[in-house]
Amino acid sequence: MKYFIKRVGFMALTIFAVCALTFFLMNVIPGGTAKLVLKHTFVGLEESVTEEQLNQISDKYDLDDPLYLQFFRWIKEAVLRGDIGTSYVFKKPVLYLLALRLPATIQLAVMSMLIAILAGVSLGIYSAIRENKISDHILRIVTLFGVSMPGFWVALLLILIFSLRLKLVPVTGYGSLENLLLPAAALSLHSVAAVMRVTRTSMLETLGQEYIRFAKAKGLPLWKIVSRHALKNAMLPVITVIGFQMGGLLGGTVVIEKIFAWPGIGSLLVDSISARDLPVVQGCVLAIVMMFLFVHFLVDMLYTHLDPRIRYG
Amino acid sequence: MKCKNSPLIILLIIMLTCAFLTTSGCSSKDENGTGDAVSGMEVTSGSDNASQPEGGSENNTLVLGEMWDIESIDPINGDGTLICEKAAITETLVGANEDFSLKPELATSWEQLDENTWEFKLRNNVTFHDGSKMTAKEVKFTLEKVISENSKVASMLKIDSIEVVDDYTLKIKTKEINPILPGVLHYPDTAIISPSSYNEKGELVKPVGTGPYKFESFDEQTRVLTVVKNENWWGGKVGLDKLILKGIPDPNTRAMAIENGEVDFTVDVPYSETDRIDTIDGINVEKYKTPRVYKLDLNLKHEPLEDVRVRQAMSYAINRSDIAENVLYNVGEAAAGPFLPTMVWANKSLKPYSQNLEKANELLTAAGWVDTDGDGIRDKDGKPLKLNLMTYAARPGLPPMAEAMAAQLREAGIGIETEVMEMGSIDDRREKGNWDLYLAAYNIAMVPDPEYILTNWYTTNGTDNTPGYSNPKVDSLITEARKITDPNERYKKFNEVEAIVYDEQPMIIVAYYGCAIVKKDYVKGYVFDPTAHDYRINAGMYLENKS
């Protein structure tokens, strides 16, 4: 329990630090906030803005106040009232925008994580059992491709094959499982490869342990050895990698969401950065950090389950 | 071992539960949120939308793949104006012909009574989508709302007061003489809307315009806009029952979506793909010019570029037709001046600079730039002729065009370093002045009148005069023209300005911007409106035997 409190306190600190960092970094990057907000909402990207318009926007959002004051105001509103601001571009509360966009991103991330875990772990085990056989080599080369292919390229290739040639799934759209499959597959590619490689290594190490040799001597069939004795012990590093991959997935959604016109927060975040829509950027970063911390918390809890020797406190 | 479950299964269960919890939790929240924030607006949730037929099964419904994410549908405040123009929800008082001359739309005629007073007569058979009649009162409401919320338009309108004379007559007083007033009233931000578009608090309910299509729904999650036929359109028959607009920001995806039959109409697939897609059975590609130019700003405050000979040499070194053909794939055209040759006020005697390396060599040598050390780059007083060129990636033609021009300029002995940057960084460098060349795509007829562009680009204090160009002759010509009300006399002065900047090349106008319209063969009756700001759906468009 004490550990739990400590952990939550630490999370709050992390969230605060990330918010502060995002806020000040966003104000350090070149180009004035008011100017870019105007270009993205009123005048068009190339057009010039007038002094009058700049003042109008700066006054409206108090952009001329010192930064610490702006940040303090934001924190105050967020903590006291749970209000994390209103978008300059959409003119809607950020929480409302997140509620619209976050489910799509979570669906995508969870689906690709599932693909990564299912495919990665089972292929990893298979590869480890067949160490140095021809199928192991093929799998390892394929995963090498998986790690090195850029996501957007694979995404286009997947559309070309599964939508245009095979007519199995639509190119764009949101809402049903068949819409989800391609983007999730494209997004999970790196993770499948990463999870598979770690599973293979870790499995090989475990399979070399003495108790496995003992189990073999006992006459247990291979599938029993793997599932009963080896898997649980080999899982620890795999879980760590999965936790980290989750963070990578959230970053990868940016490109994938653009290609599939997927209504998630990835594209919202990038567009908001170029439009200097500070409240939305803050909100998106906040959501991503919280998701990341939550996953890591889960990973830590799983550790104790997998290896009871690990104790927190 | 106590626990017989494999950890994999536990993990799976946890992932699945949290997936379920988070998604279902959030979507139920979003429904509540939707109810609060957009009262009155019909918002379908994502899953409802997916269960709708995919467009293909309804016979007279057109699905359109729009080039930007549809972020807003507000017909006055910001981004939404363009989508309301594209979907033909709203209309403006003043229309424009193909040559950009003005024509009546919601206003039947207008007249300048004295220097600062204009009288507009309105069409008397126009009803809004909510059934109410359009009268001078609503027009006054719209214009006053635009003026208070959009200072850019306000600064172009220069309106002092609006007076309702009778139901169909409006008197507008301007703060100073403003010959472009009718032109500004063609701008989509000034489209006439019914006051019922907003609630008492001034928040948007939905765009209620007068156009051939009326707003039906906007899904705020997937950002799909649906409009339906306006049976009572004053202009006559409307071709489609329903039009569904989906934002598909990636050009490759738009191409594949139309190939796969998910959309019937889309724009700007990758330029390099246009010819391949045109050969596909059942799809055709049409290429048009839009009122926008690719132009290269030259920083005249930097030493080599303040010499007019260097600027002319650069213009001669660039092979415009080559760029139009191989970079833009003919979605665009080599350009002479800032205006399209089809525009009524354009100086038609100007021809695009054609590549002439000999002439470029002569001019550069005369300016003292010769390659003395044999490295392929010219130099003068020991300094090499090296320039940086910045551009941005939001318009797909720009980065490859920058590369092509750099290669062509290098042939003439000018070293170019290209940089693709984010808009904020570009603005920053333009303010600080540490740039040489800036390639951008500028709109040339937001308002169908030459005064606005020529003033902003070429007068000494022009707001878009990035190069820092100053020529007293140009300044005085534009000031004189502003006082002339006879269009032909005005255009004469403007033609003179065009000829001067053609010689002096403070900006190198490279090519006219193009738009590739990609549509299925069964989409008939589409007429491209060159005066629209990207493209606009016309009422006469219909579907023929869509299976």
Side-chain angles (χ1 to χ4, degrees), chain A residues 226-237:
Chain A
V226 171
S227 64
R228 285 279 167 78
H229 300 279
L231 191 59
K232 198 168 173 184
N233 288 299
M235 258 348 240
L236 224 50

Side-chain angles (χ1 to χ4, degrees), chain A residues 35 46 53 96 171 259, chain B residues 151 220 253 262 392 395 431:
Chain A
K35 198 174 199 171
E46 291 91 359
Q53 285 175 297
Y96 172 67
V171 178
I259 291 177
Chain B
S151 51
E220 286 209 82
T253 315
E262 282 166 47
Y392 51 94
R395 296 185 186 277
E431 262 156 43

Side-chain angles (χ1 to χ4, degrees), chain B residues 6 32 38 57 131 138 140 162 193 195 204 223 262 295 297 315-317 319 339 389 408 423 465 473:
Chain B
S6 126
N32 297 339
V38 278
S57 55
E138 284 81 32
K140 181 178 150 95
I162 303 170
I193 49 163
L204 176 74
R223 283 157 292 152
E262 282 166 47
K295 79 171 165 118
D297 283 333
S315 213
Y316 277 121
N319 189 338
F339 298 119
L389 192 172
Q408 291 172 351
M423 215 24 146
N465 183 354
K473 182 92 207 289

